[in-house]
Every structure is written in C-alpha cells, then in structure tokens.
Amino acid sequence: MTDRPILFSGSMIRSNRRGLKTNTRRELKPQPKVLKNGSWYRPFPQEPSNWQYALGGIIHAYAKVRIVEGDRLWVRETWSHTGDHVFSISEARRCPFGHAIYQADENPEYPQAKFWPSIHMPREFSRMTLIVTGVKIERLKDISREDAIAEGLEWVAPTYGIPGIASTWNGDPRESYFALWDHINGAGAAAKNPWVACYTYTVHHCNIDAMSKEAA
C-alpha cells in the first residue's frame, strides 16, 4: 500500500463528492506499440505494477502502472485559504486561523479569494481520499457502458453528461465519456483510442492522515 497524490478537475471533484464517480482512466505513457489481439496480464503477483501483453504465449509489450490495488490516493484540487494576510501557500500552511476552501464548491462569502492550482495543494489540505480496489488496462474505446457512467456522468433524461460541459450530453454514456475525454485532453484525443490504466476506487470524505488516525 502506497500513499500517492492524484489530481482532478473541478467537475470531477463534484462527481466524486456526489458519489457519481468511482472510476478514473489515465493514459499509459509511453504508449505500448501493440497491434495484435492479445491480452494484458500481470505475470508476477508480487509486482502488481508490472503488466505484459501476450498473444499465443508470445509477449509483445510491457507496461508499468503507477497505481495498484490498496493504494491510497489523496486528492489534489484547486484551493485557497481564508486566513487573514495569507498570500502564499507557505503562509497558508503556517496560519493558525482560517481554513481551506475549494474552487469546486460555491464560495459566495469569499468573492476575492485567490485560488492556487491543484498541483500545488499540500497533503494536509486535501479533503478526499480514494482507496483503489481494481486496476486493468484497456483501450479507451473499450470502456463499458457501466464504466462510462461510473466515470462521473449524471443522468438527466434522456441524456448523460457533466454539468457545465455542454458537449458531453448524449443518450449513449460511452459517447458522453469520449466527449469528456476530448474536453480534458483536447479535440480528437478520444479518436486516437489510447491504451489507458483504469482505476476503480472507493471515496472517503476525509483527509488521508485523519483516515489513518481513525484506523489506528
């Protein structure tokens, strides 16, 4: 079990917090050069991050994923701090007053808040922890209908989509997810059909270190 940070956009933060999102897909880098119809498997149970792609007993590609089952992911998101005279992240970490606020929420009482990018969120200000329960490798366009919905899609009859992202609304949840992938990664990104690592997880609405203390 390893603790790792993970970044989400504001719309995906909201889907996680609402219980709509229990899957995330991240593009494998570098992309395996696989043309045959084989399958991915993990040859060594003691090394769950290592995968091989084989067909007819012949190995055609290797991949290494960063995240495995049991890992705990502390979520980074765009954030700020309400403390007086807090103008930097280092000051936010030292400030004995105030608290973190998050751009994914409505913050009408702090209209002048300056938000810092998610990549700069320290661990102590994270408010969500994900426990990874499953990992697989597949082509992006091999996503199932159920997995597409679990990527955080909302159902508003007769379509699925992400509030605030007009291009995602579609009666087919897979097409809705491909539009979301394009929104995040650029026009035409889904059409490239990359190999992705698919992570299934449970969401815990607490800081990772508070979770550790509760377990102890």
Side-chain angles (χ1 to χ4, degrees), residues 1-193:
M1 179 182 73
T2 303
D3 294 350
R4 305 181 186 278
I6 188 169
L7 279 66
F8 285 103
S9 65
S11 57
M12 296 296 95
I13 290 291
R14 289 186 286 274
S15 290
N16 274 313
R17 291 187 62 77
R18 293 178 59 197
L20 297 175
K21 186 171 177 65
T22 56
N23 270 260
T24 190
R25 281 160 170 71
R26 306 292 162 120
E27 185 173 338
L28 290 180
K29 296 181 180 179
Q31 279 284 291
K33 295 181 179 179
V34 175
L35 301 176
K36 299 181 182 295
N37 296 318
S39 59
W40 288 99
Y41 70 101
R42 286 185 274 196
F44 310 112
Q46 69 274 24
E47 298 178 7
S49 64
N50 293 323
W51 291 71
Q52 295 179 352
Y53 187 89
L55 176 65
I58 300 174
I59 298 171
H60 293 273
Y62 300 88
K64 189 176 183 69
V65 300
R66 189 173 69 93
I67 297 168
V68 300
E69 291 90 339
D71 282 358
R72 306 189 312 167
L73 311 178
W74 54 277
V75 175
R76 280 177 156 169
E77 55 182 298
T78 304
W79 68 292
S80 187
H81 197 278
T82 65
D84 291 338
H85 306 294
V86 171
F87 302 109
S88 68
I89 294 173
S90 60
E91 289 172 333
R93 301 185 81 170
R94 296 193 303 267
C95 185
F97 307 106
H99 57 86
I101 57 174
Y102 308 91
Q103 194 176 58
D105 301 338
E106 294 182 2
N107 297 285
E109 64 273 38
Y110 302 105
Q112 304 302 319
K114 171 191 173 183
F115 287 92
W116 292 297
S118 56
I119 190 67
H120 298 308
M121 169 177 273
R123 175 173 169 139
E124 64 262 34
F125 292 120
S126 173
R127 59 173 172 170
M128 271 193 298
T129 306
L130 314 180
I131 307 298
V132 179
T133 58
V135 181
K136 62 183 177 181
I137 295 176
E138 65 182 8
R139 289 281 192 187
L140 180 74
K141 290 205 166 186
D142 286 339
I143 190 172
S144 68
R145 178 184 176 89
E146 293 74 22
D147 276 1
I149 295 170
E151 282 280 355
L153 302 183
E154 182 175 341
W155 167 251
V156 179
T159 57
Y160 292 92
I162 300 293
I165 307 177
S167 62
T168 61
W169 293 94
N170 194 294
D172 182 344
R174 297 176 71 253
E175 292 300 325
S176 176
Y177 177 67
F178 299 150
L180 175 62
W181 186 271
D182 280 355
H183 177 80
I184 294 171
N185 298 286
K192 296 177 181 177
N193 198 22

